[in-house]
Short mmCIF file of all heavy atoms in Angstrom, two decimals:
data_model
loop_
_atom_site.label_atom_id
_atom_site.label_comp_id
_atom_site.label_asym_id
_atom_site.label_seq_id
_atom_site.Cartn_x
_atom_site.Cartn_y
_atom_site.Cartn_z
N VAL A 842 124.80 99.02 161.73
CA VAL A 842 126.25 99.05 161.98
C VAL A 842 126.67 100.41 162.52
O VAL A 842 126.26 101.46 162.01
CB VAL A 842 127.04 98.75 160.69
CG1 VAL A 842 128.55 98.79 160.97
CG2 VAL A 842 126.65 97.40 160.11
N HIS A 843 127.49 100.39 163.57
CA HIS A 843 128.19 101.57 164.04
C HIS A 843 129.60 101.51 163.50
O HIS A 843 130.34 100.57 163.77
CB HIS A 843 128.21 101.61 165.58
CG HIS A 843 128.92 102.82 166.13
ND1 HIS A 843 128.26 104.00 166.38
CD2 HIS A 843 130.22 103.03 166.46
CE1 HIS A 843 129.13 104.89 166.85
NE2 HIS A 843 130.32 104.32 166.90
N TRP A 844 129.97 102.53 162.71
CA TRP A 844 131.28 102.58 162.07
C TRP A 844 132.15 103.60 162.80
O TRP A 844 131.71 104.73 163.02
CB TRP A 844 131.16 103.02 160.61
CG TRP A 844 130.21 102.23 159.78
CD1 TRP A 844 128.86 102.39 159.70
CD2 TRP A 844 130.54 101.15 158.90
NE1 TRP A 844 128.31 101.49 158.82
CE2 TRP A 844 129.31 100.70 158.31
CE3 TRP A 844 131.73 100.53 158.54
CZ2 TRP A 844 129.28 99.67 157.39
CZ3 TRP A 844 131.68 99.49 157.62
CH2 TRP A 844 130.47 99.07 157.05
N ALA A 845 133.36 103.22 163.14
CA ALA A 845 134.30 104.15 163.78
C ALA A 845 135.60 104.15 162.98
O ALA A 845 136.23 103.10 162.81
CB ALA A 845 134.56 103.76 165.23
N MET A 846 135.96 105.33 162.49
CA MET A 846 137.22 105.48 161.75
C MET A 846 138.27 106.09 162.66
O MET A 846 138.01 107.09 163.34
CB MET A 846 137.00 106.39 160.53
CG MET A 846 138.28 106.76 159.79
SD MET A 846 139.09 105.34 159.00
CE MET A 846 138.03 105.13 157.56
N VAL A 847 139.46 105.47 162.69
CA VAL A 847 140.56 106.01 163.47
C VAL A 847 141.68 106.43 162.53
O VAL A 847 141.80 105.93 161.41
CB VAL A 847 141.08 105.00 164.51
CG1 VAL A 847 140.00 104.67 165.52
CG2 VAL A 847 141.59 103.72 163.84
N ASN A 848 142.49 107.37 162.99
CA ASN A 848 143.63 107.85 162.21
C ASN A 848 144.90 107.22 162.76
O ASN A 848 145.44 107.67 163.78
CB ASN A 848 143.72 109.37 162.27
CG ASN A 848 144.76 109.92 161.31
OD1 ASN A 848 145.67 109.21 160.87
ND2 ASN A 848 144.65 111.20 160.97
N THR A 849 145.37 106.17 162.10
CA THR A 849 146.52 105.42 162.61
C THR A 849 147.84 106.15 162.38
O THR A 849 148.88 105.70 162.85
CB THR A 849 146.60 104.03 161.96
OG1 THR A 849 146.74 104.18 160.54
CG2 THR A 849 145.33 103.24 162.25
N GLU A 850 147.79 107.29 161.68
CA GLU A 850 149.00 108.08 161.47
C GLU A 850 149.26 109.03 162.63
O GLU A 850 150.36 109.59 162.74
CB GLU A 850 148.91 108.87 160.17
CG GLU A 850 148.56 108.01 158.95
CD GLU A 850 149.47 106.82 158.79
OE1 GLU A 850 150.68 107.04 158.57
OE2 GLU A 850 148.99 105.68 158.88
N LEU A 851 148.27 109.24 163.48
CA LEU A 851 148.40 110.12 164.64
C LEU A 851 148.52 109.29 165.91
O LEU A 851 148.40 108.06 165.89
CB LEU A 851 147.21 111.08 164.71
CG LEU A 851 147.05 112.04 163.54
CD1 LEU A 851 145.88 112.99 163.79
CD2 LEU A 851 148.34 112.83 163.29
N ASP A 852 148.72 109.96 167.03
CA ASP A 852 148.94 109.30 168.31
C ASP A 852 147.71 108.49 168.72
O ASP A 852 146.59 109.01 168.75
CB ASP A 852 149.25 110.36 169.37
CG ASP A 852 149.72 109.77 170.69
OD1 ASP A 852 149.87 108.53 170.78
OD2 ASP A 852 149.92 110.56 171.63
N CYS A 853 147.93 107.20 169.02
CA CYS A 853 146.86 106.31 169.47
C CYS A 853 147.05 105.85 170.91
O CYS A 853 146.27 105.02 171.40
CB CYS A 853 146.79 105.07 168.57
SG CYS A 853 146.42 105.40 166.84
N ALA A 854 148.07 106.36 171.60
CA ALA A 854 148.36 105.92 172.96
C ALA A 854 147.18 106.18 173.89
O ALA A 854 146.32 107.02 173.61
CB ALA A 854 149.61 106.62 173.48
N ASN A 855 147.16 105.45 175.02
CA ASN A 855 145.98 105.51 175.87
C ASN A 855 145.78 106.85 176.58
O ASN A 855 144.75 107.05 177.21
CB ASN A 855 145.97 104.37 176.89
CG ASN A 855 147.19 104.40 177.80
OD1 ASN A 855 147.92 105.38 177.85
ND2 ASN A 855 147.40 103.30 178.52
N ASN A 856 146.74 107.75 176.47
CA ASN A 856 146.54 109.10 177.00
C ASN A 856 146.30 110.12 175.90
O ASN A 856 146.27 111.32 176.16
CB ASN A 856 147.74 109.53 177.85
CG ASN A 856 149.03 109.57 177.04
OD1 ASN A 856 149.08 109.07 175.91
ND2 ASN A 856 150.07 110.16 177.61
N SER A 857 146.12 109.64 174.67
CA SER A 857 145.94 110.54 173.53
C SER A 857 144.49 110.97 173.40
O SER A 857 143.56 110.33 173.88
CB SER A 857 146.38 109.86 172.23
OG SER A 857 145.51 108.79 171.91
N GLU A 858 144.31 112.08 172.70
CA GLU A 858 142.96 112.57 172.45
C GLU A 858 142.15 111.56 171.65
O GLU A 858 140.96 111.34 171.90
CB GLU A 858 143.02 113.90 171.69
CG GLU A 858 141.67 114.52 171.39
CD GLU A 858 141.77 115.79 170.57
OE1 GLU A 858 142.91 116.17 170.22
OE2 GLU A 858 140.72 116.38 170.27
N GLN A 859 142.80 110.91 170.69
CA GLN A 859 142.10 109.95 169.85
C GLN A 859 141.63 108.73 170.65
O GLN A 859 140.50 108.27 170.50
CB GLN A 859 142.99 109.49 168.70
CG GLN A 859 142.31 108.51 167.77
CD GLN A 859 143.08 108.23 166.50
OE1 GLN A 859 142.51 107.90 165.48
NE2 GLN A 859 144.41 108.38 166.54
N PHE A 860 142.48 108.21 171.51
CA PHE A 860 142.12 107.06 172.35
C PHE A 860 140.92 107.40 173.22
O PHE A 860 139.96 106.62 173.34
CB PHE A 860 143.31 106.65 173.21
CG PHE A 860 143.09 105.41 174.04
CD1 PHE A 860 143.57 104.18 173.62
CD2 PHE A 860 142.40 105.47 175.25
CE1 PHE A 860 143.37 103.03 174.38
CE2 PHE A 860 142.21 104.33 176.02
CZ PHE A 860 142.69 103.11 175.58
N LYS A 861 140.98 108.58 173.85
CA LYS A 861 139.89 108.98 174.73
C LYS A 861 138.59 109.17 173.96
O LYS A 861 137.51 108.82 174.45
CB LYS A 861 140.27 110.27 175.47
CG LYS A 861 141.43 110.09 176.44
CD LYS A 861 141.87 111.41 177.04
CE LYS A 861 143.07 111.24 177.95
NZ LYS A 861 143.56 112.54 178.49
N TRP A 862 138.71 109.69 172.74
CA TRP A 862 137.50 109.82 171.92
C TRP A 862 136.90 108.46 171.58
O TRP A 862 135.70 108.26 171.68
CB TRP A 862 137.82 110.57 170.62
CG TRP A 862 136.67 110.47 169.67
CD1 TRP A 862 135.51 111.19 169.68
CD2 TRP A 862 136.53 109.51 168.61
NE1 TRP A 862 134.67 110.75 168.70
CE2 TRP A 862 135.26 109.71 168.01
CE3 TRP A 862 137.36 108.51 168.10
CZ2 TRP A 862 134.80 108.96 166.94
CZ3 TRP A 862 136.90 107.74 167.03
CH2 TRP A 862 135.65 107.97 166.46
N LEU A 863 137.76 107.52 171.15
CA LEU A 863 137.25 106.20 170.76
C LEU A 863 136.62 105.50 171.96
O LEU A 863 135.58 104.84 171.82
CB LEU A 863 138.37 105.35 170.17
CG LEU A 863 137.95 103.99 169.61
CD1 LEU A 863 136.94 104.14 168.48
CD2 LEU A 863 139.16 103.19 169.14
N GLN A 864 137.23 105.62 173.13
CA GLN A 864 136.66 105.03 174.34
C GLN A 864 135.26 105.56 174.59
O GLN A 864 134.31 104.80 174.83
CB GLN A 864 137.58 105.34 175.53
CG GLN A 864 136.96 105.09 176.90
CD GLN A 864 137.09 103.64 177.35
OE1 GLN A 864 137.45 102.79 176.56
NE2 GLN A 864 136.78 103.39 178.59
N LYS A 865 135.10 106.87 174.49
CA LYS A 865 133.79 107.48 174.72
C LYS A 865 132.79 107.09 173.64
O LYS A 865 131.62 106.80 173.92
CB LYS A 865 133.93 109.00 174.79
CG LYS A 865 132.63 109.73 175.07
CD LYS A 865 132.84 111.23 175.17
CE LYS A 865 131.52 111.95 175.46
NZ LYS A 865 131.73 113.43 175.54
N ASP A 866 133.28 107.06 172.40
CA ASP A 866 132.39 106.73 171.28
C ASP A 866 131.85 105.31 171.39
O ASP A 866 130.64 105.07 171.28
CB ASP A 866 133.15 106.90 169.97
CG ASP A 866 132.29 106.59 168.76
OD1 ASP A 866 131.45 107.43 168.40
OD2 ASP A 866 132.46 105.49 168.19
N LEU A 867 132.75 104.35 171.62
CA LEU A 867 132.31 102.95 171.69
C LEU A 867 131.44 102.68 172.92
O LEU A 867 130.53 101.86 172.87
CB LEU A 867 133.53 102.02 171.69
CG LEU A 867 134.41 102.06 170.44
CD1 LEU A 867 135.56 101.09 170.57
CD2 LEU A 867 133.59 101.77 169.18
N SER A 868 131.72 103.38 174.00
CA SER A 868 130.94 103.17 175.22
C SER A 868 129.50 103.64 175.06
O SER A 868 128.63 103.21 175.81
CB SER A 868 131.59 103.88 176.41
OG SER A 868 131.48 105.30 176.27
N GLY A 869 129.26 104.51 174.09
CA GLY A 869 127.92 105.05 173.92
C GLY A 869 127.09 104.35 172.86
O GLY A 869 125.96 104.79 172.58
N VAL A 870 127.60 103.26 172.27
CA VAL A 870 126.86 102.59 171.20
C VAL A 870 125.67 101.82 171.78
O VAL A 870 125.82 101.05 172.74
CB VAL A 870 127.78 101.63 170.43
CG1 VAL A 870 126.98 100.87 169.37
CG2 VAL A 870 128.92 102.39 169.78
N ASN A 871 124.52 102.02 171.21
CA ASN A 871 123.31 101.27 171.57
C ASN A 871 123.32 99.97 170.76
O ASN A 871 123.03 99.97 169.57
CB ASN A 871 122.07 102.10 171.25
CG ASN A 871 120.77 101.39 171.64
OD1 ASN A 871 120.73 100.17 171.75
ND2 ASN A 871 119.72 102.16 171.82
N ARG A 872 123.67 98.85 171.40
CA ARG A 872 123.83 97.60 170.67
C ARG A 872 122.50 96.96 170.29
O ARG A 872 122.49 95.93 169.61
CB ARG A 872 124.67 96.61 171.49
CG ARG A 872 126.08 97.09 171.82
CD ARG A 872 126.92 97.43 170.60
NE ARG A 872 127.39 96.29 169.85
CZ ARG A 872 128.58 95.72 170.01
NH1 ARG A 872 129.41 96.17 170.94
NH2 ARG A 872 128.95 94.72 169.25
N THR A 873 121.39 97.55 170.71
CA THR A 873 120.09 97.09 170.22
C THR A 873 119.77 97.76 168.89
O THR A 873 119.33 97.12 167.94
CB THR A 873 118.98 97.38 171.24
OG1 THR A 873 119.27 96.68 172.46
CG2 THR A 873 117.62 96.91 170.72
N ALA A 874 120.03 99.07 168.81
CA ALA A 874 119.77 99.80 167.57
C ALA A 874 120.83 99.50 166.52
O ALA A 874 120.52 99.33 165.34
CB ALA A 874 119.72 101.30 167.86
N THR A 875 122.10 99.47 166.94
CA THR A 875 123.21 99.16 166.03
C THR A 875 124.04 98.04 166.67
O THR A 875 125.03 98.30 167.35
CB THR A 875 124.10 100.40 165.77
OG1 THR A 875 124.42 101.02 167.02
CG2 THR A 875 123.38 101.40 164.89
N PRO A 876 123.63 96.79 166.48
CA PRO A 876 124.30 95.68 167.17
C PRO A 876 125.73 95.43 166.73
O PRO A 876 126.52 94.86 167.48
CB PRO A 876 123.42 94.47 166.84
CG PRO A 876 122.68 94.86 165.60
CD PRO A 876 122.47 96.34 165.68
N TRP A 877 126.09 95.85 165.52
CA TRP A 877 127.42 95.57 164.99
C TRP A 877 128.31 96.79 165.11
O TRP A 877 127.89 97.91 164.80
CB TRP A 877 127.34 95.14 163.52
CG TRP A 877 126.55 93.90 163.32
CD1 TRP A 877 125.24 93.80 162.93
CD2 TRP A 877 127.00 92.56 163.53
NE1 TRP A 877 124.85 92.50 162.87
CE2 TRP A 877 125.91 91.71 163.23
CE3 TRP A 877 128.21 91.99 163.92
CZ2 TRP A 877 126.01 90.32 163.33
CZ3 TRP A 877 128.30 90.61 164.02
CH2 TRP A 877 127.22 89.80 163.72
N ILE A 878 129.56 96.58 165.51
CA ILE A 878 130.55 97.66 165.55
C ILE A 878 131.71 97.27 164.63
O ILE A 878 132.31 96.19 164.78
CB ILE A 878 131.09 97.92 166.96
CG1 ILE A 878 129.96 98.41 167.89
CG2 ILE A 878 132.21 98.98 166.91
CD1 ILE A 878 130.45 98.70 169.31
N VAL A 879 132.02 98.17 163.70
CA VAL A 879 133.14 98.00 162.79
C VAL A 879 134.09 99.17 162.97
O VAL A 879 133.67 100.34 162.86
CB VAL A 879 132.68 97.92 161.32
CG1 VAL A 879 133.88 97.78 160.38
CG2 VAL A 879 131.71 96.76 161.13
N VAL A 880 135.36 98.89 163.28
CA VAL A 880 136.39 99.92 163.41
C VAL A 880 137.28 99.86 162.18
O VAL A 880 137.66 98.77 161.73
CB VAL A 880 137.21 99.73 164.70
CG1 VAL A 880 138.42 100.66 164.72
CG2 VAL A 880 136.34 100.00 165.92
N MET A 881 137.63 101.03 161.64
CA MET A 881 138.43 101.10 160.42
C MET A 881 139.65 101.99 160.64
O MET A 881 139.59 102.96 161.40
CB MET A 881 137.59 101.67 159.27
CG MET A 881 136.33 100.88 158.99
SD MET A 881 135.21 101.77 157.86
CE MET A 881 134.62 103.09 158.94
N GLY A 882 140.74 101.64 160.00
CA GLY A 882 141.95 102.44 160.07
C GLY A 882 142.89 102.07 158.94
O GLY A 882 142.72 101.02 158.30
N HIS A 883 143.89 102.89 158.70
CA HIS A 883 144.81 102.61 157.60
C HIS A 883 145.79 101.49 157.95
O HIS A 883 145.88 100.49 157.23
CB HIS A 883 145.59 103.88 157.24
CG HIS A 883 146.56 103.68 156.13
ND1 HIS A 883 146.16 103.46 154.82
CD2 HIS A 883 147.93 103.63 156.11
CE1 HIS A 883 147.22 103.28 154.05
NE2 HIS A 883 148.32 103.39 154.80
N ARG A 884 146.50 101.62 159.04
CA ARG A 884 147.49 100.61 159.42
C ARG A 884 146.86 99.52 160.28
O ARG A 884 146.10 99.82 161.20
CB ARG A 884 148.66 101.26 160.16
CG ARG A 884 149.45 102.25 159.30
CD ARG A 884 150.58 102.88 160.09
NE ARG A 884 151.23 103.92 159.30
CZ ARG A 884 152.27 103.70 158.48
NH1 ARG A 884 152.77 102.48 158.38
NH2 ARG A 884 152.79 104.69 157.80
N PRO A 885 147.17 98.26 160.01
CA PRO A 885 146.54 97.16 160.74
C PRO A 885 147.10 96.96 162.15
O PRO A 885 148.27 97.22 162.42
CB PRO A 885 146.85 95.92 159.88
CG PRO A 885 147.38 96.44 158.58
CD PRO A 885 148.00 97.76 158.89
N ILE A 886 146.24 96.46 163.01
CA ILE A 886 146.69 95.96 164.32
C ILE A 886 147.26 94.56 164.15
O ILE A 886 148.31 94.22 164.70
CB ILE A 886 145.52 95.96 165.32
CG1 ILE A 886 145.06 97.40 165.61
CG2 ILE A 886 145.94 95.28 166.63
CD1 ILE A 886 143.85 97.48 166.52
#
Side-chain angles (χ1 to χ4, degrees):
V842 180
H843 180 89
W844 307 83
M846 173 66 77
V847 297
N848 188 340
T849 60
E850 307 307 297
L851 297 184
D852 189 3
C853 298
N855 59 13
N856 61 348
S857 67
E858 181 183 1
Q859 181 170 208
F860 184 99
K861 294 174 183 177
W862 168 79
L863 185 61
Q864 166 84 349
K865 182 178 180 181
D866 181 76
L867 297 181
S868 69
V870 177
N871 182 338
R872 300 302 286 265
T873 299
T875 48
W877 299 99
I878 296 180
V879 178
V880 171
M881 303 168 288
H883 179 70
R884 296 179 186 271
I886 295 176

